[in-house]
Amino acid sequence: MAAPVIAIDGPSASGKGTVAREVANALGFHFLDSGALYRLVALAALNRGVDLEDASAVEDIARDLKVVFSADAVLLEGGDVTNTIREERVSNAASRVAALPGVRKALLGRQRAFRQAPGLVADGRDMGSVVFPDATLKIFLTADPAERARRRYKQLIEKGISANIDALLEEICDRDARDSQRTDAPLQKCADATELDTTGMSVEAVVAKVVQSYNKRASKAP
Ligand code: CDP
């Protein structure tokens, strides 16, 4: 039987990454940060000066991506890009390359390979809808845009990356629009996902809620 999956989807800066990682730690599950894959494709394209509109060149990059995820670092072609992939220029490029169907297709197998015993927590936009439609639990995490901009600001400043909160809010809204309006795997809540609005909630409270929902669901599984 395939290992269980908890799919956590939602708009940018909704806290999915932090929550998913902590839920994985709490349950001893593996963790997939699918957004990092789109960020890596975008960074590789930017580094090589590839036009982001050139679908076939970007698809080639996605197919041949040489990436290693370790416990606390992401390596692209051997170089540490853990912080670089979080820069806003990469975030924006990521949401552009993510709109290319060939790129999404090229990354599908790589994402599914993370599904291993004892289980996986996967974070993204289409984890519950496309990549793991049979996930045991599907969560759609949201928060209002102003709170998301504040969270992203704090996260960047803590990493020593300079940021402007108004510009972040504008970029978050643009990215929401682009991610929701694309034709292939748009950001949307699946019918069988539980929506969790995290505005004003602490990370611990959100993690506890997801773990509790999973345990309840798993205890009922055949
Ligand atoms: O951290 P944040 O939520 O802002 O972004 P992310 O999860 O790292 O994703 C970066 C970009 O990759 C998003 O804006 C999406 O366009 C894209 N993405 C996607 O299309 N599908 C996924 N499963 C994950 C990310």
Side-chain angles (χ1 to χ4, degrees), residues 108-165:
L108 204 53
R110 218 184 261 264
Q111 295 175 81
R112 289 189 174 144
F114 279 77
R115 182 176 200 165
Q116 283 174 25
L120 174 69
V121 183
D123 136 34
R125 302 290 187 289
D126 59 345
M127 297 298 97
S129 56
V130 176
V131 184
F132 303 109
D134 61 339
T136 310
L137 177 69
K138 300 182 185 180
I139 301 283
F140 193 74
L141 220 60
T142 61
D144 78 41
E147 172 136 349
R148 291 194 272 134
R150 279 196 299 276
R151 288 178 186 171
R152 179 50 49 91
Y153 179 80
K154 196 167 155 256
Q155 194 180 43
L156 291 172
I157 296 297
E158 277 168 3
K159 287 192 174 131
I161 302 172
S162 69
N164 171 296
I165 199 151

Side-chain angles (χ1 to χ4, degrees), residues 36-37 40 64-82 85 110 114:
L37 290 172
L40 286 158
D64 301 332
L65 205 63
K66 305 268 179 305
V67 31
V68 176
F69 289 95
S70 72
D72 50 11
V74 184
L75 307 184
L76 175 64
E77 276 143 15
D80 187 340
V81 295
T82 318
I85 58 166
R110 218 184 261 264
F114 279 77

Side-chain angles (χ1 to χ4, degrees), residues 8 30 34 39 53 59 66-67 75-76 78 96 115 120 133 135 166 194 200 212 218-220:
I8 303 187
H30 300 280
S34 63
R39 288 171 180 275
E53 305 294 318
E59 276 168 43
K66 305 268 179 305
V67 31
L75 307 184
L76 175 64
R96 291 175 60 195
R115 182 176 200 165
L120 174 69
D166 295 329
T194 305
Q212 190 187 39
S219 69
K220 280 194 202 139

Side-chain angles (χ1 to χ4, degrees), residues 52-67:
L52 300 181
E53 305 294 318
D54 183 346
S56 91
V58 183
E59 276 168 43
D60 287 345
I61 291 179
R63 221 172 297 116
D64 301 332
L65 205 63
K66 305 268 179 305
V67 31

Side-chain angles (χ1 to χ4, degrees), residues 139-204:
I139 301 283
F140 193 74
L141 220 60
T142 61
D144 78 41
E147 172 136 349
R148 291 194 272 134
R150 279 196 299 276
R151 288 178 186 171
R152 179 50 49 91
Y153 179 80
K154 196 167 155 256
Q155 194 180 43
L156 291 172
I157 296 297
E158 277 168 3
K159 287 192 174 131
I161 302 172
S162 69
N164 171 296
I165 199 151
D166 295 329
L168 284 175
L169 179 58
E170 204 178 307
E171 280 163 13
I172 280 176
C173 293
D174 284 353
R175 211 132 63 84
D176 280 358
R178 198 159 41 222
D179 290 350
S180 320
Q181 287 159 15
R182 69 180 175 223
T183 41
D184 192 15
L187 168 69
Q188 58 182 9
K189 179 187 159 307
C190 325
D192 54 351
T194 305
E195 182 159 350
L196 190 53
D197 183 342
T198 67
T199 310
M201 276 176 90
S202 68
V203 170
E204 297 72 36

